[in-house]
């Protein structure tokens, strides 16, 4: 005879509990913590660098004023920046020499030569107004035709514009000299 089978229950048997997951190692926490520390170090370094650059460009010392802050703001706004002052230039402000750029001699007939002014300022170039144009008049002596008067223009403190001068001399040994006679600021 066969043994009767017990009746089936109305609901399925409970699932066996899942075995607990093994604890993850602390590697995730270590990685996240390390990344946060590196980011914090980079940000802190950037702040220190920016602050040190700001300190280098700031004046070394500052002084406090006893005037109220309102007075300082109004006074600074009311006072215009002082105009820079430049030296007054005259003939004694420069030295001049002649540079011979071309010479053709013809025995006893003398020489033809081309000369250019070589000008030097005796002060600091910062003393010269960069916006002014100075007309520097000079006289060349030693040519057969007598003294020659020329003018050069000095602008932007260092730019000298002139026309080369052609002279005839009695011989190759004739000395040619130059002297500044006047310095005038254009427009004055």
């Amino acid at each position: 005879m066969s043994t009767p089978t017990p009746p089936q229950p109305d609901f399925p048997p409970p699932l066996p509990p899942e075995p607990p997951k093994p604890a993850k190692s602390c590697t995730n926490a270590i990685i996240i913590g390390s990344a946060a520390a590196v980011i914090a170090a980079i940000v802190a370094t950037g702040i220190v660098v920016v602050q040190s650059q700001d300190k280098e460009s700031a004046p070394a010392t500052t002084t406090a004023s006893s005037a109220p802050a309102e007075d300082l703001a109004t006074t600074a706004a009311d006072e215009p920046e002082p105009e820079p002052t430049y030296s007054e230039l005259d003939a004694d402000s420069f030295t001049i020499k002649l540079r011979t750029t071309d010479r053709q001699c013809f025995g006893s007939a003398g020489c033809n030569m081309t000369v250019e002014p070589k000008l030097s300022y005796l002060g600091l170039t910062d003393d010269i107004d960069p916006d002014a144009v100075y007309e520097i008049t000079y006289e060349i002596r030693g040519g057969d035709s007598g003294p020659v008067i020329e003018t050069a223009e000095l602008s932007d403190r260092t730019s000298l514009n002139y026309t080369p001068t052609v002279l005839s001399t009695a011989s190759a040994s004739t000395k040619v000299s130059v002297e500044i006679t006047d310095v005038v600021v254009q427009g004055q």
Side-chain angles (χ1 to χ4, degrees):
M1 226 188 140
S2 86
T3 57
T5 50
Q8 289 281 340
D10 290 340
F11 55 90
L15 294 172
E18 285 189 25
K21 291 184 180 178
K24 284 192 176 182
S25 64
C26 297
T27 55
N28 285 346
I30 291 173
I31 291 172
I32 292 172
S34 297
V38 168
I39 291 170
I42 291 171
V43 169
T45 303
I47 291 171
V48 168
V49 168
V50 168
Q51 286 178 347
S52 70
Q53 288 175 348
D54 288 344
K55 286 180 184 175
E56 289 173 1
S57 64
T61 60
T62 56
T63 57
S65 172
S66 60
E70 299 167 359
D71 292 343
L72 290 175
T74 353
T75 305
D78 293 342
E79 293 180 17
E81 293 246 351
E83 288 290 320
T85 57
Y86 300 106
S87 295
E88 192 169 316
L89 305 183
D90 59 14
D92 294 330
S93 301
F94 299 92
T95 60
I96 191 168
K97 295 180 181 179
L98 290 177
R99 178 176 166 249
T100 303
T101 58
D102 187 34
R103 175 181 283 179
Q104 295 177 342
C105 292
F106 307 101
S108 63
C111 297
N112 290 334
M113 59 191 308
T114 304
V115 294
E116 296 177 350
K118 188 174 178 185
L119 197 68
S120 297
Y121 178 61
L122 297 175
L124 300 173
T125 56
D126 291 343
D127 294 341
I128 300 174
D129 185 349
D131 299 323
V133 176
Y134 299 93
E135 292 178 346
I136 302 167
T137 304
Y138 54 97
E139 185 175 317
I140 302 172
R141 293 188 185 127
D144 288 344
S145 301
V148 177
I149 296 176
E150 295 283 357
T151 301
E153 287 186 351
L154 175 67
S155 59
D156 297 327
R157 293 182 174 159
T158 58
S159 180
L160 187 66
N161 295 318
Y162 56 85
T163 302
T165 304
V166 178
L167 301 170
S168 294
T169 60
S171 71
S173 63
T174 302
K175 296 288 183 190
V176 178
S177 64
V178 65
E179 178 184 356
I180 297 174
T181 58
D182 196 17
V183 176
V184 176
V185 179
Q186 261 187 4
Q188 289 187 347

